Amino acid sequence: MQISLQEVAANAVQARSRIRHHIYQTPLIPARRIGHDQGAKVLFKAENFQLTGSFKIRGALSKLSSPSAQGPLITASSGNHGIGASLAARVLAKDLTVVLPDTIVQAKLDKIKSFGVEVILHGVETGLAEQHAQQLAASGSYNYISPYNDAEVIAGQGTIGLQILEQLEEVANVFISMGGGGLLSGVGSVLKTFRPETKIYGVSASNSKALAASLTAGHVVETDHFPTLAEAVAGGIDPDTITLGLASAVVDYVIECNEAEILSSAQALAVQENIIAEGSAALALAGFNKVAEKLTGQTSVVLLCGGNVDHDYIRKAATGLAQKAKIRRRLEGTTSGAAGGKSFAAAVMVLTIDFNVQALVMCDPKGRVDTAVVAGKRPRTVAFANCFNAVTSNGVPHYAAASTIADVELRFMARNVPKRAASVVSVLTEWCIIAILVKSFQVVI
C-alpha cells in the first residue's frame, strides 16, 4: 500500500486533534553560535524536550488512539519508540508488549518497564527485534504496530511539521535524521504539501544506513549494521515499507555522517548551545555542518529528535576518538622526521586515519575488541577484530597493522589454503608488521 504526501498531511492534521492534549508543543530555539560563522540562520526544533525525551510519543499516540489499535498489541523498538508506545498504552489503557534488542540502553529499558508493559529482549539490533515481533503477531496472538511502517505512526510524526509551519514564517532547509523513515516521511510530507519550496535533507549514520542505501538503489536493500552513537536510528527496514516511497518523494538531498562527525556535533550542542541531545539528534546537526558553507543567508531547521543520551556509549566513543587522535599525532611526528618523502609510517597514517571509528567503540578500556560484539559480522570484520587484539600494544591499538593482517588472512581463506599454511603466513605477517611498527613508532612490545 502506497500513500500520497497529501494524504499523510491530512492524516497529520487529524492526528494532532487526537494527541495534542498528551504532548508538548516543543520550542523552535535559535542557535547561539552554530551557523554564525557561515552566515546561516539555524533553529533547533527541540523534540529532545518532548514528554518522553523523544518525538516518538507523537506517532505512538497517533496509532494507539486510532480505530485500528484493538486487542493485544505488540511493537518493536530500539528504545525511544518503546518508551513512547508504553506511555501511550498506559494513557489509553491498551494491552501492549514491546520487543527490544539485547543491546538496548539500560536507562531506556528501565523507563519502558516503568509503564507496566510486557517486555521481550531479542536480537542484537532493532531489525531483528522487529522481525521477532512480526513473527509473534503472525501467530495470531497480537496485532503488530510498526515503529515507522504505518500510516498512523507517520501521521503522528508529521505533527512536528505542522508545528514548524506555525512557528516559522519562512524555512529554506530542514535537516532530519534517517532511521526507518517514519519521521522523515511524516515531517517531509507535511512540509512538501504546504511549503514545497522547502528543501529536505535526510541525514544517515554511515554505520547503519539501510534507508539511505535503499533510496540510492530505488528499492529496499539490506546493509551491515555497526555500533553507532545514533543508535535510535539504527537497524534495517521492512521489505514493503511505505516510508521508502514517501522518502523518495520528499528528500532533496541525502547526507551520510560518520561517528566522529556525530560525536563532534553532540559536543557542539552541549558546549556551544547548552543543549543535551542524543546521538540520533546530533546526527541531524552533523548533516547541517557538512553543507553549512552552502547555506549562507538561509534559514535552516535542525530537528533534534531526542535527548535520551547513552552516556556510557558516548564516553567509550570519545575515548576511542582520543586514542585515534593520539596515534595520528604520533604518526605525524614520525612522518615529519622521515627522509626521502613517503615512508612506511606515512602509509600507515593514511590507513589509520581512514579506518572507520566503529572499531573504536567496540574496544574495552585496554583498547581490545570484544570479539563477541562482532560475532556474525562480515568475515573481514571478525578477522580484523582478532588481528586487532593480536597487535595491540600497551593499550594502544595499531589499526593499520590489524587491517593489513586481516586482509592477508582472508586472502588465504578465500583461496582455500590449508589452515596450517595460512596460520604460518598469518603469524609471519603479524611479526613483520609489528617489527616495522616498533621501528616506526619506537613502541615497546
Side-chain angles (χ1 to χ4, degrees), residues 139-378:
S139 70
S141 301
Y142 304 93
N143 291 320
Y144 177 67
I145 297 175
S146 171
Y148 58 88
N149 187 19
D150 184 283
E152 295 296 346
V153 171
I154 292 170
Q157 322 307 20
T159 61
I160 298 173
L162 295 174
Q163 289 185 0
I164 291 174
L165 292 173
E166 293 170 350
Q167 293 171 310
L168 194 60
E169 291 184 2
E170 180 181 348
V171 54
N173 314 292
V174 178
F175 291 80
I176 306 173
S177 299
M178 293 168 51
L183 177 63
L184 182 67
S185 298
V187 176
S189 294
V190 168
L191 293 175
K192 287 296 187 181
T193 297
F194 296 112
R195 201 169 291 174
E197 70 277 9
T198 299
K199 301 299 182 186
I200 305 296
Y201 288 78
V203 190
S204 175
S206 297
N207 276 10
S208 190
K209 55 180 182 180
L211 183 55
S214 299
L215 285 171
T216 300
H219 57 86
V220 173
V221 297
E222 187 50 75
T223 62
D224 286 329
H225 300 286
F226 299 103
T228 175
L229 291 166
E231 46 85 23
V233 296
I237 55 178
D238 293 341
D240 63 345
T241 183
I242 60 175
T243 58
L244 179 57
L246 290 170
S248 298
V250 304
V251 172
D252 295 287
Y253 306 99
V254 173
I255 302 173
E256 285 187 21
C257 298
N258 61 36
E259 295 302 290
E261 291 164 338
I262 298 170
L263 180 61
S264 176
S265 296
Q267 292 171 333
L269 284 168
V271 174
Q272 299 180 32
E273 305 295 336
N274 290 340
I275 294 175
I276 301 300
E278 64 187 53
S280 56
L283 174 62
L285 176 58
F288 167 80
N289 288 335
K290 294 190 81 164
V291 297
E293 296 291 344
K294 302 177 183 178
L295 305 180
T296 300
Q298 300 180 29
T299 298
S300 298
V301 171
V302 175
L303 204 170
L304 302 181
C305 56
N308 295 316
V309 178
D310 181 355
H311 296 283
D312 290 339
Y313 194 86
I314 287 181
R315 188 179 302 113
K316 183 176 285 190
T319 301
L321 287 168
Q323 289 180 330
K324 189 174 184 180
K326 181 178 179 180
I327 293 172
R328 183 199 299 234
R329 289 193 297 271
R330 178 177 291 171
L331 284 164
E332 289 173 343
T334 303
T335 306
S336 63
K342 293 183 179 179
S343 64
F344 176 81
V348 175
M349 177 171 68
V350 173
L351 288 169
T352 302
I353 295 173
D354 286 347
F355 195 83
N356 198 306
V357 77
Q358 75 192 41
L360 299 172
V361 299
M362 294 189 293
C363 296
D364 65 20
K366 292 185 178 180
R368 297 176 64 83
V369 175
D370 180 359
T371 51
V373 174
V374 297
K377 300 292 185 183
R378 292 179 299 182

Side-chain angles (χ1 to χ4, degrees), residues 115-136:
F115 293 118
V117 300
E118 293 294 322
V119 170
I120 298 173
L121 297 179
H122 181 87
V124 296
E125 54 99 0
T126 310
L128 296 176
E130 288 177 16
Q131 291 174 18
H132 187 61
Q134 291 166 353
Q135 290 167 0
L136 292 173

Side-chain angles (χ1 to χ4, degrees), residues 409-427:
E409 284 197 344
L410 287 174
R411 284 195 204 101
F412 277 86
M413 287 164 59
R415 294 176 184 174
N416 296 317
V417 174
K419 286 186 177 180
R420 180 174 297 179
S423 177
V424 170
V425 172
S426 177
V427 170

